Amino acid sequence: MTDAAARRDTAFIGHPIGLSWLTGSEMFERFSYYGMQALLPLYMSITLLRPGHVEHVWGFGAFRHLLEAGGSLTPLALGSAIFGLYTSVVYVTPLLGGLIADRLVGRTRTVVAGAILMAMGHFLMAFEQTFLAALTCLILGTGLFKGNISSQVGDLYGSEDPRRADAFQIFLFAIQIAGIVTPLVCGTLGEVYGWHWGFGAAGIGMLIGLAAYLAGRPTFPPDPKAKGGDPAHAAAPPLTAADWRKIAVLAALVPILAMSMVGNQQGFNVQLIWARSAYQLTFFGHTMPVTWLLSISGVVAALTIAASAGFWRWWATRWAEPDELSKIILGVTLMVCGQLVLAAASAVVATTGHRVGLGWAMAYNILNCFGFANMLPIGMALFSRAAPKGTASSVIGLYYLNNFAANLAVGWLGGFYEKMTPAAFWLMHAGIMGVAVLLLVLVKLTVGPHLAPAYEGPDVDAEPLPAT
């Protein structure tokens, strides 16, 4: 590696400069996604699914009939089902997007097409008539964008580079910055000035993310499928029996990781509706928009991710750093404790008849976010590292299936909120996640060694950056 290449390999806080562009692009993509996510359940329950509005949505009659096949749903339950369906399916399509990028047109073209579709979807959300068309564009666009940009983060590092997990935590840190800003911008615009203003702001954020991606493209590793790419890397090597065993273990982790995520993902759905009546949100005569709670969560998440990364760097200077599965087990255990805090807050509200202070929200966020910092980015790093050569985008797409299953479950579980006490509702989530902890321990003790790091020669999916 030349001196110039070596400098560029550590130019961004000790990481390749390409990480800064990918992180910036993902941050604005998440700004747009979280803007949509923050507004969607409120928009549906307050406005869209009410008489006088829902009749205007093109094709909604047939869509509603499909969702209510098991029985009629209240507006809240119907909105929860739509929210769960949308936020789950957007994590299935990355598997298709990964296959398209790995086998057909390459990651650059796939990411660009995804960004354009997502921007269109956000702008279409400004109109009631095009609600279902907007969701379709967002689902397809996320599938093309999400897994491919994440796999390009992994491509910046060789198979033995210890910076990979750290890079994904930096990547997630930027996502949490978006989580802080989005409710303040999109949430406030939507709740105070009109839903179309909030959705429009999300679309503008997506266009900024696309511009950042295109600006940083020269700093990314060569795209094997891009025009002018190195033909030596165009064809993925055949998978060996060991590769298939590794993929099987990763696939087995997906439903367990999904169980681990149900509490965190419910924070974007029913937890917002619960919070409107559970937390004291009025200060000095002014009521805080409930979406601002997501900004509080984003601040805590950003701080805990930075603290977690710093802690493990310090730990590694004194003791052997735990493997990825051990960190994930620790993370999910902390997230279970967060759900227990929500259950306790609900019990206090039921007993006293009074709302609880935001100190309860802070306690929940600290536990949940410390756990999240040691679960999601570590899991992504594990899947990226363990992916057989030539399958990085597809394996990252496989990883995102856990979000699909988790969000689908969240939509279904949300339908129980009106049938259970709030305390029981959150205890149910804690129980599901507790079972996941036990299953993760079992995986680590049995098939965990199949995922142990091993040097297997030069990595096709992690080429060195060009010298010029």
Side-chain angles (χ1 to χ4, degrees):
M1 181 181 294
T2 67
D3 291 342
R7 286 194 298 272
R8 188 160 59 179
D9 188 54
T10 57
F12 178 59
I13 54 176
H15 289 267
I17 191 65
L19 180 63
S20 65
W21 290 107
L22 291 170
T23 298
S25 181
E26 176 71 0
M27 181 174 67
F28 279 101
E29 185 272 333
R30 289 292 91 180
F31 172 90
S32 72
Y33 178 79
Y34 288 145
M36 170 72 174
Q37 193 175 52
L39 292 174
L40 186 59
L42 298 175
Y43 172 54
M44 289 190 296
S45 63
I46 295 173
T47 301
L48 186 71
L49 299 182
R50 298 294 176 180
H53 296 275
V54 69
E55 299 88 353
H56 300 155
V57 180
W58 294 338
F60 194 80
F63 181 65
R64 182 172 190 165
H65 180 73
L66 179 65
L67 292 178
E68 293 186 332
S72 180
L73 297 174
T74 65
L76 189 149
L78 180 61
S80 180
I82 294 172
F83 179 87
L85 182 64
Y86 163 67
T87 55
S88 60
V89 175
V90 292
Y91 289 109
V92 172
T93 50
L95 186 59
L96 176 61
L99 291 171
I100 291 172
D102 283 339
R103 305 296 175 182
L104 296 175
V105 301
R107 293 170 188 159
T108 299
R109 294 175 181 174
T110 308
V111 167
V112 170
I116 293 172
L117 278 172
M118 279 190 285
M120 289 173 56
H122 289 302
F123 292 130
L124 288 172
M125 280 296 298
F127 309 97
E128 290 181 350
Q129 295 88 339
T130 52
F131 175 70
L132 294 180
L135 291 184
T136 301
C137 287
L138 289 165
I139 288 168
L140 295 176
T142 302
L144 297 176
F145 186 98
K146 187 68 179 165
N148 288 301
I149 198 169
S150 299
S151 67
Q152 284 182 315
V153 173
D155 286 355
L156 295 169
Y157 304 91
S159 57
E160 290 189 306
D161 195 326
R163 298 176 296 169
R164 183 187 296 262
D166 194 30
F168 277 104
Q169 286 196 314
I170 294 170
F171 195 63
L172 182 62
F173 180 82
I175 292 173
Q176 298 310 317
I177 296 299
I180 296 169
V181 175
T182 298
L184 299 177
V185 178
C186 299
T188 302
L189 287 173
E191 285 193 78
V192 177
Y193 297 101
W195 304 114
H196 60 283
W197 288 105
F199 292 127
I204 292 172
M206 189 63 250
L207 293 178
I208 296 173
L210 173 60
Y213 180 82
L214 293 175
R217 183 64 190 94
T219 67
F220 307 156
D223 187 341
K225 296 295 181 183
K227 183 177 180 181
D230 184 354
H233 298 285
L239 297 179
T240 66
D243 290 334
W244 283 112
R245 283 195 296 271
K246 191 174 293 185
I247 290 174
V249 173
L250 294 174
L253 279 174
V254 168
I256 303 174
L257 294 176
M259 295 170 64
S260 304
M261 287 287 286
V262 293
N264 182 80
Q265 298 307 99
Q266 197 65 265
F268 300 98
N269 186 30
V270 168
Q271 192 180 136
L272 285 176
I273 297 169
W274 168 81
R276 296 178 76 192
S277 59
Y279 289 136
Q280 174 55 255
L281 300 175
T282 301
F283 305 95
F284 306 107
H286 298 281
T287 300
M288 182 183 79
V290 71
T291 51
W292 285 18
L293 291 174
L294 297 178
S295 285
I296 295 174
S297 178
V299 170
V300 177
L303 293 175
T304 53
I305 289 167
S308 181
F311 172 79
W312 289 122
R313 287 186 182 185
W314 169 82
W315 182 279
T317 63
R318 289 163 174 78
W319 301 283
E321 189 170 350
D323 60 22
E324 292 119 332
L325 276 175
S326 297
K327 290 182 181 179
I328 292 171
I329 291 168
L330 171 63
V332 180
T333 301
L334 290 173
M335 293 167 74
V336 170
C337 294
Q339 297 301 304
L340 295 177
V341 168
L342 294 180
S346 298
V348 171
V349 173
T351 302
T352 65
H354 299 291
R355 298 169 181 244
V356 296
L358 292 184
W360 288 89
M362 289 299 297
Y364 159 75
N365 280 317
I366 289 171
L367 288 167
N368 185 71
C369 292
F370 262 119
F372 188 75
N374 286 282
M375 189 268 179
L376 186 134
I378 305 303
M380 194 178 296
L382 170 63
F383 275 62
S384 173
R385 175 184 59 74
K389 297 176 179 64
T391 67
S393 291
S394 301
V395 169
I396 290 293
L398 174 67
Y399 172 78
Y400 281 124
L401 288 181
N402 88 80
N403 294 75
F404 157 73
N407 283 297
L408 197 62
V410 160
W412 178 69
L413 292 171
F416 290 94
Y417 180 69
E418 297 174 302
K419 304 174 183 178
M420 306 172 68
T421 65
F425 183 76
W426 299 120
L427 284 173
M428 174 177 66
H429 287 71
I432 293 170
M433 297 164 69
V435 172
V437 172
L438 297 178
L439 293 175
L440 285 167
V441 172
L442 181 63
V443 169
K444 178 175 170 56
L445 295 176
T446 55
V447 296
H450 287 291
L451 301 178
Y455 178 66
E456 299 175 348
D459 191 345
V460 171
D461 286 341
E463 304 174 44
L465 292 173
T468 58

